[in-house]
Every structure is written in structure tokens, then in C-alpha cells.
């Protein structure tokens, strides 16, 4: 018998995950989404994978634009994670009022100056994966790096500050 969606979700809620903000700049606006399924794939070439809802707007705009940025959120940035995970959210720039940010050099997407690290990325390809897609991203630059900063985590359905 296959594992139920409820059992699957309950099991994976026990696994802490880093929290990142994915941003895309298109011709009209800046789009942002909170993501917790980011993983390193390869060092040569530098690749990361990000899981996105297959029918969501972030995946659609990323596929159209072909570039994005990922900012790993720092401890204390849970409010930002919540803002970017809400349905019907406005432009990323409106959600970042009073939050220091800049533009990534290759993608021109928003990166948070106070994040743990930011990756400037180019879309290699989207891979269908059930009700999601995996976005394979080539890392073009690392515009923010605060070595030793504590990351924000998601555990058991809540944002928690990592120890240290």
C-alpha cells in the first residue's frame, strides 16, 4: 500500500530544512517565493536544485525568464519567510520595504543583504517530479556570503532559528 500524503508530510516535517527566498526579475516586476527544498547537486559545474510547485507562478516565471537568485535566510528572518509564502502576495519589492537588498549581478534578481548567502543563478532545466518540478540551477555568482551566520530553519511546520 502506498504511503498516504498525510503520513508522508508528517514524516518529512521531522526533517529540518534551510529556508531560502527565490526571486526572479521579469520585464514587469519582481517575483519571490519561500522555498525549503534547496540542495547542492554538483560542485563542477556548480549546480543546486530547488523544488517548486509545478502549477505555481514562480516556476512559470522562472522558466520564462531563465534566471533567478536564492537568498538563504538568516535566523531572525522568519517574518520574511512568512511574507513570501502567503498566497496572493504583492511584488517582492513591496514585501521588502525597510529590508536592505540589492540586485544580483547576472540575473538582476533581488538578494537580501542580511541573508546567510545569496546565489545568482541561471536555469539549466526544469525536471518534472510529481506535483512539483525540480529547477536545476547553475550558480553564476555568490553576491552575499556571511560566513558563520546562523540560518533560519523550518521544522515541524514552524520557522525556527538554528542554534549557534
Amino acid at each position: 500500500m502506498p504511503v498516504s500524503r498525510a503520513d508522508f508530510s508528517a514524516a518529512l516535517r521531522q526533517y529540518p530544512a534551510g529556508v531560502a527566498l527565490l526571486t526572479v526579475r521579469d520585464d514587469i516586476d519582481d517575483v519571490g517565493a519561500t522555498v525549503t527544498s534547496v540542495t547542492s547537486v554538483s560542485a563542477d559545474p556548480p549546480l543546486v536544485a530547488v523544488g517548486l510547485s509545478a502549477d505555481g507562478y514562480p516556476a512559470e516565471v522562472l522558466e520564462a525568464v531563465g534566471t533567478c537568485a536564492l537568498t538563504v535566510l538568516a535566523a531572525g528572518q522568519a517574518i520574511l519567510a512568512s511574507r513570501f509564502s502567503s498566497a496572493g502576495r504583492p511584488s517582492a519589492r513591496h514585501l521588502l520595504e525597510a529590508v536592505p537588498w540589492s540586485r544580483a549581478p547576472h540575473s538582476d534578481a533581488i538578494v537580501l543583504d542580511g541573508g546567510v548567502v545569496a546565489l545568482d543563478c541561471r536555469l539549466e532545466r526544469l525536471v518534472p517530479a510529481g506535483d512539483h518540478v525540480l529547477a536545476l540551477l547553475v550558480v553564476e555568482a555568490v553576491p552575499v556570503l556571511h560566513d558563520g551566520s546562523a540560518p533560519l530553519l523550518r521544522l515541524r511546520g514552524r520557522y525556527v532559528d538554528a542554534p549557534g
Side-chain angles (χ1 to χ4, degrees), residues 31-113:
V31 175
T34 300
V35 294
T36 56
S37 56
V38 178
T39 189
S40 172
V41 174
S42 169
D44 187 17
L47 289 170
V48 295
V50 177
L52 299 170
S53 177
D55 60 356
Y57 186 65
E60 178 183 324
V61 73
L62 175 59
E63 184 174 30
V65 173
T67 58
C68 67
L70 285 168
T71 302
V72 175
L73 298 181
Q77 292 184 315
I79 189 73
L80 294 175
S82 293
R83 286 179 190 168
F84 283 93
S85 63
S86 301
R89 59 193 168 272
S91 163
R93 283 171 289 139
H94 295 298
L95 294 173
L96 293 172
E97 289 181 19
V99 175
W101 59 270
S102 55
R103 297 268 178 201
H106 296 281
S107 66
D108 207 31
I110 291 173
V111 294
L112 302 184
D113 299 341

Side-chain angles (χ1 to χ4, degrees), residues 8-40:
F8 178 76
S9 294
L12 290 186
R13 286 170 46 100
Q14 305 308 308
Y15 183 72
V19 182
L21 175 62
L22 178 133
T23 56
V24 179
R25 183 175 191 178
D26 69 9
D27 294 335
I28 300 167
D29 207 353
D30 291 282
V31 175
T34 300
V35 294
T36 56
S37 56
V38 178
T39 189
S40 172

